[in-house]
Amino acid sequence: LANAALGTVSDAATLSGNGPVGPRTVTAGGRLAPGLGGVGALTTGNATFGPGGNYTVQVADATGGAGVGGDVLSMSGSLTIASTAADPFNVNLWSLAGAASGSAANFAPGSSYTWTIASASGGVGGFAGDKVASNTAAINGSGGFANALAGGSFKAALAGNDLNVVFTPFVPGTALTWFGNGVAAGGSGTWSGLGINWSSGTSVGTWAPARTAVFNATSGTVTVAGGGIAANRGLQFETSGYRVAGGAITLGGTSADANAISVALAGTA
């Protein structure tokens, strides 16, 4: 534990275990990891999630509840989200089969899940969806989330005094996946209203502004046609290394969530 007297977890330090600890600030390189060899629960007064900080959330049972099925941090005071969209706080999901890395029990990718990972009786301040990144890769000390997602995705959300990780299953018809050359997922190509390079999962066709644009597989350069393009359900980059160039992309959704652009850790967009 780095800077213990100041209550700061940073510089590659990890705070793990169960039970009460003093007020904590988790900053760049630091890692919060409730439990010892499995799911656990930590309690504190106040806490701050800073830029580049990490929270390893182990999930053993998708329906088990906070502290039983998955890790949780409980605060008698408040939680402050001090990270930024440019440098978010990282929630790194790690699925467990029992106490070992593996697929979490009772997770069905066609179902929705809400997991409370932090609860502060004094409230949560500073939250915005783009300030907290939800990662499923084996990074930042996490073993990664092994269960198949079938196109679904995780994101952080606030509900009252609870900071949650929410899983939303893929629903056919709500997203289109980029096929740069019109044949295989990913790669380089031109994004226009007439290009045949978007897959619905059953066929490859033209872009539909009411869908979410999903970029995965092998990254490449996506050149937006000179006249620009409309995207009313946001963009989702699941693979790092993509580059978007050319014309303008107009985000025409009716809410901030609809216009969200999610980028994989270390991604380029």
Side-chain angles (χ1 to χ4, degrees):
L1 174 61
N3 300 323
L6 300 178
T8 299
V9 184
S10 62
D11 302 326
T14 298
L15 174 62
S16 61
N18 295 288
V21 295
R24 295 297 166 194
T25 296
V26 186
T27 61
R31 186 165 70 99
L32 180 69
L36 290 170
V39 169
L42 283 171
T43 58
T44 187
N46 300 317
T48 299
F49 289 172
N54 297 281
Y55 180 0
T56 298
V57 177
Q58 294 184 317
V59 180
D61 186 337
T63 60
V68 179
D71 289 337
V72 67
L73 173 68
S74 297
M75 288 149 281
S76 58
S78 61
L79 171 63
T80 300
I81 309 298
S83 52
T84 65
D87 193 4
F89 183 82
N90 298 296
V91 173
N92 307 308
L93 297 171
W94 185 349
S95 60
L96 301 178
S101 293
S103 296
N106 298 315
F107 182 87
S111 298
S112 299
Y113 298 94
T114 298
W115 300 328
T116 297
I117 62 170
S119 184
S121 60
V124 179
F127 176 82
D130 58 0
K131 291 183 177 181
V132 180
S134 298
N135 304 311
T136 57
I139 54 175
N140 302 327
S142 163
F145 197 82
N147 296 71
L149 304 184
S153 61
F154 290 100
K155 72 173 184 177
L158 187 65
N161 292 341
D162 294 338
L163 178 63
N164 300 323
V165 169
V166 176
F167 177 76
T168 302
F170 171 74
V171 178
T174 63
L176 293 174
T177 300
W178 171 249
F179 276 42
N181 62 4
V183 177
S188 299
T190 299
W191 185 1
S192 70
L194 300 177
I196 309 297
N197 46 15
W198 291 95
S199 173
S200 65
T202 57
S203 62
V204 179
T206 59
W207 169 244
R211 308 289 184 89
T212 299
V214 176
F215 300 87
N216 56 24
T218 302
S219 60
T221 298
V222 180
T223 303
V224 179
I229 206 78
N232 300 337
R233 289 183 61 91
L235 283 64
Q236 183 173 324
F237 294 86
E238 298 179 348
T239 302
S240 63
Y242 270 101
R243 180 175 183 272
V244 180
I249 300 174
T250 301
L251 299 174
T254 58
S255 68
D257 283 347
N259 290 325
I261 300 176
S262 61
V263 182
L265 190 73
T268 302

